[in-house]
Each structure stands twice: as C-alpha cells, then as structure tokens.
Amino acid sequence: MREAELQRLAGFFVYAGLDALVWEAFTQMVRSASGKAIKYGDQSPPHGNGLLVYSRARWGGGTFGLAGVVCPDPKALARWPKDLTILVPDQMWLSRIQAAARSSLKVAVLNPVTGRTTFVRVEPPEAAGAPVDPAGSNGPNRV
C-alpha cells in the first residue's frame, strides 16, 4: 500500500523537488501539526498543481474535508481561497509564496530536514506598504 502511494505521487515529487524519504518525514509533521487523520488527494490544476490534503478528526471517523494544498504554483495565488492553508517543506518554497502573494495567505512551513514547524501569515506587498512590481519580482514580504 505504501509503495503504491509513493508511486502515485512520483510526479508530484518531481514537481515539488521532494524525495520519498523527505516526503515521509513531511507527512509525519503534517499529521502531528494538525492533530488529525490526513490523506492526500491528487495534484489539482485549480489549486496551482499543488497536492490536495484532506483531514478529519483522528478518532471517531467522519468525512475528510479539504484542509490544505502542498506546494502550489505561486502563479495560482491570485485567486487563492482565503481559509485554505498552503503547506510547504522549506524556506525556499515559503519565499516563492511570499513573492507571489496577492492576498493574505496562511502558510505552514513543515521542514522535514530540521524538524521545525512554523505557521506564517503572508501578506501581499501592498498590504505592507511596499510598491508592487508588475513583473512580480518584488522580493520577500514582511511577515
């Protein structure tokens, strides 16, 4: 079962720049941080080709609901759902999300290498009073 899931996600690993060992640690961190049962859906074009994450209460069952998206393409953030958490594995991904933010975003940085989890509210540059570069290269946001 585990091998089948890893094989199913192989294309996502290439897209996100992750390997299977890092992915397992990342998944454990997602479970730990959420305190819920989780399962992964497919990559979702409407969500910037990020991997959908569903969660539910750990005990007692219930249905899984969409809880977050792992590593969405920053170009998809212009119309990002307000309460949908973005999950990323490192500072590089966070920087990409910060540079592309066009609305307030909830981001969880779950770094499987350091074992550190950080929750960040990313604001668009204009919310921080910075001028917006139309080319999208306005640097990191203030968090």
Side-chain angles (χ1 to χ4, degrees):
M1 181 91 112
R2 182 178 155 275
E3 276 303 311
E5 180 71 354
L6 292 176
Q7 231 172 0
R8 180 182 80 83
L9 296 174
F12 173 74
F13 295 158
V14 171
Y15 159 80
L18 300 171
D19 65 36
L21 291 175
V22 168
W23 181 250
E24 288 187 36
F26 181 82
T27 295
Q28 288 300 333
M29 292 181 75
V30 172
R31 285 189 178 105
S32 179
S34 72
K36 297 180 177 183
I38 63 160
K39 71 176 185 177
Y40 294 102
D42 294 322
Q43 279 185 267
S44 172
H47 295 95
N49 260 351
L51 189 68
L52 300 179
V53 180
Y54 297 90
S55 70
R56 70 169 188 204
R58 193 170 283 184
W59 317 115
T63 59
F64 281 90
L66 184 60
V69 179
V70 181
C71 299
D73 182 340
K75 293 176 190 154
L77 300 179
R79 296 174 302 280
W80 198 256
K82 182 179 178 181
D83 292 326
L84 190 56
T85 301
I86 297 170
L87 297 101
V88 297
D90 55 36
Q91 189 65 37
M92 181 191 75
W93 268 100
L94 175 60
S95 294
R96 291 178 66 202
I97 299 299
Q98 288 172 318
R102 296 297 173 253
S103 62
S104 183
L105 304 168
K106 294 187 311 183
V107 181
V109 183
L110 304 131
N111 189 318
V113 174
T114 65
R116 189 155 185 236
T117 300
T118 307
F119 298 90
V120 179
R121 174 65 70 178
V122 173
E123 298 296 337
E126 59 272 13
V132 177
D133 178 357
S137 60
N138 54 353
N141 290 346
R142 292 168 182 78
V143 180

